[in-house]
Amino acid sequence: MTASRNGAVARAAGHFDSGEFVAGLGRLVAHPTQSQLPGALPALTSYFSDVVGPELSSLGFALDILDNPDSGAGPVLLATRHEGDDSPSVLIYGHGDVVVGQDDKWRGGLAPWDVTPDGDRLYGRGTADNKGQHWTNIGGLRAVIEERGSLGFNCTIVLESDEEMGSRGLREFCRIHADRLRADVLVASDGPRLDPERATIVLGSRGLVNFELALKLRDGAHHSGNWGGLIRDPGIILSHAIASLTDARGQIAVPEWRPTSLTPEIRELLADVQVSGGDGSPDIDADWGEAELSPEERVYGWNSFAVLALELGNPERPQNAIAPEARAVCQIRYVVGTDPDDILPALRRHLDAHGFHDINVTPTRMAGMRATRSDPDNEWVQRALASVNETLEKNGGGTAALIPNIGGGIPNDIFAEDLGMPTVWIPHSYAGCNQHAPNEHMLASVAREGLQIMAGLFWDIGAD
């Protein structure tokens, strides 16, 4: 029988229907690759050497498990399959680490290190972020190799094990190994679809800057009866400082934090999509965020400010005293069109202009993910869109959404800027997946469709 695109897509679906996909995902999830915990290195290394590595080796990939340039971070798996000097080249990215399991907080009958099917949900830590996603892409590669006998292109896979800690060392790793990593295009999967029922192609990500605002006025607390009204209250001052950054509905008030890139072309792109987290997700508040923007424009075309944590005294045992200090951890997620190097200086200028000279501003972990966005008209973007739509059309899946970036942060700037390649992200998750929380899950229907999509895309790349 002649090898065909339809045959590869059918093999991918069969891989899921046979139970092989879920069984393999179970082997991946069973490794507690919690990069946020001390002593995680053995599990991180074993994930590459004992689970993913053998799978890729069986597909004809040569393997290297390499040290991370950051001595505090886990290793990096580099897998290569070279088929011809004149063949197209594709780089695939993913990460094998997960957040802390939170074993005691999962619903009865579920455990983070077991894959548990329940209806359309496949529960387990890493099913959505990111083991299930790179396992889907590996499944697409497998289907093409089994159908064609080859990929038809050169493929390099880089899997890191520190993404949940901010991808420490990844930028330096890619600089050191740039010659091995350079490709015509990055194809990767992370983050959510904009709607669980609509396949999505993403052109980049919002950038991320976390920072601390801290105000210390004196040593020690003082009785609120004796000193209330006489000495400054750091909680009140810090609250006013935070409130000055937005209005009451969260519209950003720092001019430099308001992007310039929500062009008519981007707005037209977003007019075709509707964001949804699926069942169990919170309702979107129509009266929150930028008043003149649609929900889609707010999350995919605009910046957002959030207060992640506040610390003042002890709410469990409050004392009748004026605290000496207060602090807050805050965050800006920003799109292309915002100067990342001016985010914190602009904050400093804003606080000073409003009289908050005593508040210290300090960047915290994960302050380095920069916003990226491939050109929607890029040849590789359009090829991916046409391929995904062809697969969907033949399998009754509608059409794919094309969005300028996900709302979250991924280290895409390393590939788009440092390595200088177009980037195409095809997520196989959705916003309601409980990522980073108990009861994390992947949708079986999305996984099956994702396998078909990736098989079709990899087939098309190898057919040129």
Side-chain angles (χ1 to χ4, degrees):
M1 183 179 293
T2 304
S4 68
R5 185 187 199 277
N6 289 342
V9 172
R11 284 179 182 272
H15 179 60
F16 186 90
D17 296 340
S18 69
E20 293 177 4
F21 176 86
V22 175
L25 181 59
R27 293 192 294 273
L28 271 59
V29 168
H31 278 64
T33 51
Q34 303 166 98
S35 59
Q36 297 172 327
L37 295 183
L41 184 60
L44 297 173
T45 303
S46 177
Y47 181 75
F48 293 150
S49 62
D50 299 337
V51 189
V52 178
E55 294 286 349
L56 293 173
S57 181
S58 72
L59 297 178
F61 283 82
L63 305 178
D64 280 317
I65 300 175
L66 302 171
D67 290 338
N68 194 308
D70 189 312
S71 59
V76 181
L77 173 67
L78 196 58
T80 56
R81 178 178 168 121
H82 185 82
E83 295 196 359
D85 293 342
D86 297 326
S87 299
S89 55
V90 175
L91 177 64
I92 296 175
Y93 163 83
H95 64 91
D97 64 318
V98 298
V99 298
V100 176
Q102 300 174 278
D103 304 49
D104 60 337
K105 298 184 182 302
W106 287 58
R107 196 187 77 202
L110 303 179
W113 314 118
D114 297 325
V115 171
T116 305
D118 184 5
D120 193 36
R121 297 185 173 189
L122 303 172
Y123 287 97
R125 177 63 82 220
T127 52
D129 184 24
N130 173 259
K131 294 177 179 179
Q133 301 221 39
H134 60 254
W135 185 234
T136 300
N137 292 349
I138 292 170
L141 294 170
R142 182 192 308 278
V144 172
I145 292 171
E146 290 177 350
E147 179 70 12
R148 180 186 273 148
S150 66
L151 286 174
F153 58 87
N154 302 317
C155 185
T156 300
I157 300 175
V158 58
L159 296 178
E160 64 157 317
S161 59
D162 197 71
E163 196 269 352
E164 302 297 357
M165 289 293 288
S167 294
R168 295 173 298 177
L170 181 61
R171 190 180 305 277
E172 179 66 9
F173 179 90
C174 290
R175 185 194 67 78
I176 294 170
H177 301 282
D179 290 342
R180 297 181 65 181
L181 295 171
R182 284 198 177 91
D184 296 310
V185 63
L186 172 82
V187 176
S189 300
D190 202 351
R193 292 179 168 193
L194 69 91
D195 183 292
E197 297 188 6
R198 190 174 185 189
T200 304
I201 295 176
V202 182
L203 304 181
S205 71
R206 288 203 288 187
L208 173 66
V209 174
N210 285 4
F211 56 90
E212 179 182 280
L213 299 177
L215 175 62
K216 181 173 182 178
L217 297 179
R218 59 189 71 86
D219 292 326
H222 294 272
H223 191 282
S224 58
N226 297 334
W227 293 96
L230 298 179
I231 60 176
R232 292 191 296 160
D233 188 318
I236 293 175
I237 296 171
L238 184 60
S239 296
H240 278 277
I242 293 172
S244 77
L245 303 179
T246 76
D247 66 10
R249 62 172 287 154
Q251 296 184 114
I252 292 173
V254 181
E256 296 88 346
W257 289 4
R258 299 176 64 82
T260 60
S261 57
L262 189 54
T263 62
E265 292 77 15
I266 296 298
R267 300 190 83 159
E268 181 179 358
L269 202 64
L270 293 175
D272 181 52
V273 304
Q274 184 173 1
V275 63
S276 169
D279 294 341
S281 296
D283 294 333
I284 295 172
D285 293 318
D287 59 351
W288 183 256
E290 199 69 18
E292 302 302 317
L293 303 184
S294 69
E296 293 72 30
E297 290 169 340
R298 292 176 207 162
V299 71
Y300 300 129
W302 203 251
N303 298 345
S304 64
F305 169 73
V307 180
L308 304 182
L310 288 168
E311 185 177 81
L312 175 72
N314 184 349
E316 299 298 323
R317 294 180 177 82
Q319 303 297 314
N320 291 320
I322 296 172
E325 57 188 322
R327 67 189 185 110
V329 177
C330 304
Q331 180 184 85
I332 281 286
R333 293 199 182 260
Y334 67 94
V335 297
V336 168
T338 307
D339 182 357
D341 297 325
D342 195 40
I343 288 176
L344 294 187
L347 172 61
R348 178 75 270 163
R349 295 193 298 270
H350 174 91
L351 293 174
D352 289 345
H354 287 74
F356 301 111
H357 306 283
D358 293 341
I359 292 178
N360 292 319
V361 178
T362 307
T364 62
R365 185 178 68 85
M366 295 185 73
M369 291 186 179
R370 300 168 76 93
T372 55
R373 181 182 296 165
S374 291
D375 184 346
D377 295 324
N378 178 272
E379 174 192 1
W380 281 100
V381 172
Q382 290 301 312
R383 287 174 63 181
L385 181 61
S387 174
V388 172
N389 281 337
E390 180 180 347
T391 301
L392 293 173
E393 180 182 358
K394 291 181 177 179
N395 292 276
T399 59
L402 181 65
I403 59 174
N405 44 259
I406 61 170
I410 47 180
N412 191 50
D413 58 303
I414 295 173
F415 309 108
E417 296 179 357
D418 295 5
L419 295 180
M421 66 182 71
T423 60
V424 176
W425 292 76
I426 304 176
H428 309 308
S429 184
Y430 77 114
C433 68
N434 288 53
Q435 174 184 350
H436 289 193
N439 307 327
E440 178 182 349
H441 60 274
M442 185 181 202
L443 294 181
S445 55
V446 171
R448 187 180 190 276
E449 185 176 76
L451 285 163
Q452 294 174 297
I453 284 171
M454 301 313 294
L457 176 58
F458 293 143
W459 179 276
D460 291 339
I461 293 173
D464 291 345

